[in-house]
Amino acid sequence: MKTLVVVLGLLAVIAGGTVFLVQQFGGWNTLVGKAWAVTYEVTTEPAADLPMRIEYLENPDRYRKESPHVISKATTVPFQYEAVINAGEKAEVSATPAGNQVLTCRILLDGVKVLTSATAKPGEKVTCETVTAS
């Protein structure tokens, strides 16, 4: 019986120490790197192989709790990019056409589920944004 009490006491100390350490390092979400895999897509009508300015958000490290960085590049459409967005952060993609094209954007979860989509007027910038769940 005395051994059982010692073992249970030791387990309680270990459990308490573990919880304390996890809280010191930002909680379970930080330690396990809770993040979302999103796919940004931009398409155009009529189809055009012209370069345009695309901006999107991405977390460089799923294990560090920080705001996503803005990435800006000139690229051709259709555009597709897989990014990591930490839980509770904003995912966003926007594109500015080079001419009078109609742009459409989408943000997909795991490349399948549409989280948001938008279509702009001819020649106007399109933006899709959503906040990932915690």
Side-chain angles (χ1 to χ4, degrees):
M1 184 68 171
K2 188 175 182 180
T3 305
L4 179 61
V5 171
V6 170
V7 169
L8 289 176
L10 185 59
L11 288 175
V13 168
I14 291 171
T18 301
V19 169
F20 175 77
L21 287 174
V22 166
Q23 293 307 317
Q24 293 302 310
F25 288 103
W28 292 110
N29 286 348
T30 301
L31 290 179
V32 297
K34 187 173 181 186
W36 290 46
V38 298
T39 302
Y40 296 126
E41 291 182 345
V42 177
T43 57
T44 183
E45 287 295 328
D49 196 19
L50 298 172
M52 56 186 70
R53 175 67 46 200
I54 295 185
E55 292 184 346
Y56 57 90
L57 297 177
E58 179 175 33
N59 282 100
D61 186 350
R62 69 180 294 159
Y63 297 104
R64 295 184 64 189
K65 187 66 176 167
E66 61 183 59
S67 297
H69 295 188
V70 176
I71 310 297
S72 181
K73 61 169 62 175
T75 187
T76 56
V77 174
F79 171 80
Q80 186 175 48
Y81 182 78
E82 293 179 20
V84 172
I85 299 295
N86 289 342
E89 297 291 340
K90 182 168 75 168
E92 180 178 344
V93 62
S94 64
T96 304
N100 219 17
Q101 298 91 8
V102 173
L103 297 180
T104 299
C105 62
R106 297 191 317 165
I107 300 177
L108 307 168
L109 174 63
D110 295 329
V112 179
K113 181 182 177 187
V114 178
L115 297 176
T116 187
S117 64
T119 301
K121 294 178 182 177
E124 293 186 7
K125 180 178 181 177
V126 68
T127 301
C128 287
E129 66 179 61
T130 188
V131 176
T132 60
S134 310

